């Protein structure tokens, strides 16, 4: 039997008002081979029914009968934990019609690229790096037109009632929604060692090291989809990079898109073993209030992003104290509006890779399936890594997908942390379903209210 290894997790537990025992030795599992992930074929969305929650003994709430109390005016997307302002964004011809521009005007526009921070894995063939994002054109739009379009997304609020700073942010975000995706485009990237990314308080921003090499030019092997997306793992040259089977360091690379000044990102080469956290963002790392549509819209479209409690301190301590800890931020927010999210994360939290919702996952049922799809992809890419999952109870897809990961990938999920938003915010009166946790070892998950001061804890696990 392989020896038990210990990793001191300063700041992991107790970090919340509550207690969880994470000292566990999962049953031996034959690891899968790391995947060289092909260009994705996204699954057909399956409608998922959201049930009222079955209360666990340690999860209290005051939501009994709340749906009937509030009447039939409750939008289905709120009951599903999916905010309406994250749905039905215009794409293609719909965006063009909304802006009132013709094909000739579009042809004259420069091409831009949304480049989302990727992750790479080590296989027998070397390093494989995931490139993903979107190619689009940004049409010039008058302030008056942007004001009209922004008002589509605001509830009981007119953009003229906002402060000048809030108006500017609302217009900028609206402009990022009304873009014109470009299909059948070829994309080329230049890779360079990244000296810094993120804000953990450490040199370099935390979460990775700067490699000694990695300079190269990579032509993405597939044209963009009909909605302008590109997403695939591509084998890259070592060229001074440390081999994944000989280092525990996470190596950080800047990824520059040729022909676009704003198509830049930071990617992370993550070795086969170690610890990763997959973290949601809304209502766990920042104050969003997606369960209150009016507030959620203002917090997403107009107001500056604000951290929730002392979560930046918690994550910074994890970055400093846990060796080679990989941060992966996963949000089901649509691609078009993720630049604000990435900017907020890298100014507030340790650097890390990102996942967002591709454009062809657009309706509510598709949104409820995308999180599990993205989670599966990360776990399949790193079959020997251990994972911590962080989110809150206001998303029904989290409440179903997170416990399912422990069953689909036995031995890999070390702990699930979920902020109980119903217990910490009187504005969240919607029930959530905890039935997925009923059969789990209670030492592997914890519902908490607020984070507190960090402390020391030790994970024990077997290779």
């Amino acid at each position: 039997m392989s020896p038990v290894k210990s990793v001191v997790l300063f700041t992991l537990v107790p970090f919340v008002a509550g207690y969880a025992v994470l000292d566990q030795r999962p049953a031996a599992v034959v690891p899968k081979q790391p995947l060289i992930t092909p260009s994705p074929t996204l699954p057909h969305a399956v409608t998922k029914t959201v049930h009222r929650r079955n209360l666990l003994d340690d999860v209290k709430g005051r939501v009994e009968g709340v749906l009937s109390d509030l009447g039939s005016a409750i939008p289905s997307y709120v009951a599903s934990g999916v905010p309406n302002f994250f749905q039905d964004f215009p794409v293609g011809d719909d965006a063009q019609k909304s802006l009132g521009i013709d094909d000739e005007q579009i042809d004259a526009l420069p091409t831009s690229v949304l480049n989302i921070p990727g992750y790479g894995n080590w296989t027998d063939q070397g390093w494989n790096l995931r490139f993903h994002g979107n190619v689009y054109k940004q049409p010039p739009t008058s302030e008056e037109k942007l004001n009209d379009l922004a008002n589509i997304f605001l509830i009981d609020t007119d953009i003229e009632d906002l402060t000048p700073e809030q108006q500017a942010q609302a217009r900028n975000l609206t402009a990022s929604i009304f873009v014109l995706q470009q299909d059948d485009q070829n994309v080329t990237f230049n890779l360079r060692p990244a000296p810094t990314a993120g804000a953990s308080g450490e040199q370099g921003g935390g979460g990775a090291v700067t490699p000694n090499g990695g300079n190269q030019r990579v032509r993405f092997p597939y044209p963009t989809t009909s909605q302008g997306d590109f997403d695939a793992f591509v084998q890259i040259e070592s060229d001074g990079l440390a081999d994944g089977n000989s280092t525990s360091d996470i190596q950080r690379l800047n990824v520059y898109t040729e022909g676009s000044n704003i198509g830049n990102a930071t990617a992370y080469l993550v070795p086969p073993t170690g610890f990763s956290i997959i973290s949601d963002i809304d209502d766990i790392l920042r104050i969003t209030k997606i369960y209150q549509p009016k507030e959620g819209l203002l917090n997403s479209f107009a107001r500056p992003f604000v951290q929730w409690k002392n979560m930046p301190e918690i994550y910074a301590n994890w970055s400093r104290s846990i060796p080679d800890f990989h941060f992966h931020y996963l949000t089901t927010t649509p691609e078009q509006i993720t630049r604000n999210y990435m900017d907020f994360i890298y100014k507030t939290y340790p650097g890390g890779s990102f996942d967002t919702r591709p454009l062809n996952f657009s309706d509510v049922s598709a949104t409820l399936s995308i999180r599990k799809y993205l989670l599966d992809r990360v776990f399949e890419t790193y079959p020997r890594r251990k994972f911590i999952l962080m989110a809150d109870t206001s998303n029904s897809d989290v409440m179903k997908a997170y416990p399912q990961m422990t069953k689909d990938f036995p031995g890999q999920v070390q702990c699930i942390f979920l902020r109980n938003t119903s217990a910490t915010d009187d504005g969240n009166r919607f029930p959530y379903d905890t039935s997925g946790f009923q059969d789990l070892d209670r030492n592997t998950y914890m519902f908490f209210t607020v984070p507190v001061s960090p402390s020391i804890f030790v994970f024990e696990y077997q290779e």
Side-chain angles (χ1 to χ4, degrees):
M1 178 178 292
S2 300
V4 174
K5 292 189 175 182
S6 297
V7 175
V8 179
L9 297 190
F10 297 91
T11 81
L12 187 55
V13 175
F15 89 100
V16 295
Y19 183 76
V21 179
L22 302 183
D23 182 3
Q24 55 177 319
R25 302 183 186 185
V29 177
V30 177
K32 302 177 184 178
Q33 289 298 313
L35 299 181
I36 303 177
T37 311
S39 184
T41 301
L42 300 180
H44 180 71
V46 178
T47 301
K48 298 188 177 183
T49 303
V50 180
H51 304 280
R52 287 178 181 271
R53 63 174 174 173
N54 299 314
L55 293 179
L56 297 176
D57 292 341
D58 60 344
V59 180
K60 306 297 183 182
R62 296 165 296 177
V63 296
E64 185 71 28
V66 69
L67 291 181
S68 58
D69 292 344
L70 295 178
S72 60
I74 303 170
S76 62
Y77 63 82
V78 176
S80 301
V82 180
N84 189 38
F85 51 90
F86 287 170
Q87 311 302 320
D88 302 323
F89 285 173
V91 296
D93 292 341
D94 291 338
Q96 183 176 343
K97 291 175 183 177
S98 298
L99 297 170
I101 58 177
D102 57 36
D103 291 342
E104 186 174 339
Q105 291 172 295
I106 295 174
D107 291 341
L109 296 172
T111 299
S112 298
V113 176
L114 171 65
N115 191 0
I116 300 172
Y119 53 87
N121 69 329
W122 176 261
T123 70
D124 292 340
Q125 290 77 42
W127 283 112
N128 301 275
L129 180 58
R130 183 184 176 202
F131 297 87
H132 61 134
N134 189 266
V135 179
Y136 65 94
K137 291 189 175 185
Q138 180 73 67
T141 310
S142 68
E143 181 174 303
E144 180 181 5
K145 183 67 173 178
L146 285 175
N147 286 348
D148 291 340
L149 294 172
N151 280 332
I152 296 173
F153 302 102
L154 298 175
I155 297 176
D156 298 332
T157 303
D158 190 284
I159 192 171
E160 299 294 341
D161 299 330
L162 303 176
T163 67
E165 293 78 12
Q166 291 174 345
Q167 289 183 27
Q169 179 169 319
R171 282 190 287 267
N172 288 337
L173 193 60
T174 301
S176 71
I177 294 171
F178 288 88
V179 296
L180 306 172
Q181 289 81 19
Q182 301 298 296
D183 66 345
D184 201 31
Q185 300 294 305
N186 295 308
V187 190
T188 300
F189 304 96
N190 288 289
L191 307 184
R192 301 288 184 270
T196 184
S200 69
E202 301 171 85
Q203 183 178 2
V209 301
T210 303
N212 294 323
N215 295 281
Q216 58 195 282
R217 185 172 184 263
V218 179
R219 182 177 175 85
F220 193 76
Y222 312 105
T224 56
T225 67
S226 60
Q227 293 182 323
D229 282 337
F230 59 90
D231 189 347
F233 280 71
V234 180
Q235 188 172 343
I236 63 173
E237 301 293 332
S238 292
D239 191 33
L241 297 170
D243 290 350
N245 58 0
S246 63
T247 183
S248 61
D249 289 337
I250 299 167
Q251 300 172 86
R252 182 175 51 222
L253 292 171
N254 281 334
V255 182
Y256 301 99
T257 309
E258 286 191 0
S260 176
N261 291 331
I262 59 174
N264 304 326
T266 303
Y268 295 80
L269 302 180
V270 183
T273 61
F275 282 92
S276 295
I277 182 170
I278 301 179
S279 178
D280 194 16
I281 297 175
D282 287 307
D283 291 311
I284 183 65
L285 300 189
R286 82 173 188 101
I287 298 171
T288 311
K289 297 180 181 287
I290 66 170
Y291 38 82
Q292 294 179 287
K294 180 178 179 179
E295 284 296 296
L297 283 160
L298 289 173
N299 289 333
S300 296
F301 278 81
R303 295 169 181 161
F305 283 17
V306 176
Q307 69 189 52
W308 183 65
K309 301 293 184 180
N310 63 330
M311 290 303 286
E313 176 191 352
I314 299 294
Y315 276 42
N317 281 329
W318 286 357
S319 178
R320 289 191 294 267
S321 306
I322 305 172
D324 309 311
F325 196 40
H326 171 221
F327 291 84
H328 183 69
Y329 302 97
L330 193 159
T331 175
T332 56
T333 301
E335 283 178 345
Q336 299 103 306
I337 62 173
T338 53
R339 274 206 171 93
N340 280 7
Y341 279 74
M342 292 187 289
D343 181 66
F344 167 73
I345 288 296
Y346 282 120
K347 289 179 178 177
T348 317
Y349 291 93
S353 49
F354 251 85
D355 260 318
T356 63
R357 188 201 325 157
L359 292 183
N360 53 347
F361 282 77
S362 57
D363 61 18
V364 170
S365 61
T367 301
L368 290 174
S369 68
I370 183 58
R371 189 183 302 273
K372 184 61 166 62
Y373 168 77
L374 295 173
L375 285 167
D376 285 347
R377 198 172 191 194
V378 177
F379 273 65
E380 289 169 354
T381 302
Y382 303 106
R384 296 169 59 197
R385 289 188 74 83
K386 310 297 182 181
F387 291 90
I388 299 162
L389 305 180
M390 177 77 72
D392 68 280
T393 58
S394 64
N395 286 291
S396 63
D397 58 337
V398 162
M399 300 300 292
K400 190 168 187 177
Y402 274 18
Q404 188 62 41
M405 298 306 293
T406 68
K407 302 169 185 176
D408 293 347
F409 300 91
Q412 285 193 260
V413 178
Q414 294 294 289
C415 190
I416 299 172
F417 287 116
L418 291 166
R419 175 199 170 193
N420 186 347
T421 50
S422 297
T424 55
D425 192 333
D426 291 337
N428 181 16
R429 301 184 61 207
F430 293 96
Y432 56 87
D433 182 8
T434 59
S435 60
F437 293 85
Q438 295 287 359
D439 298 329
L440 298 190
D441 182 345
R442 291 185 60 165
N443 291 335
T444 63
Y445 66 89
M446 180 166 65
F447 294 83
F448 68 94
T449 54
V450 294
V452 294
S453 298
S455 184
I456 296 177
F457 205 80
V458 176
F459 266 146
E460 289 190 350
Y461 71 100
Q462 289 179 334
E463 288 283 3

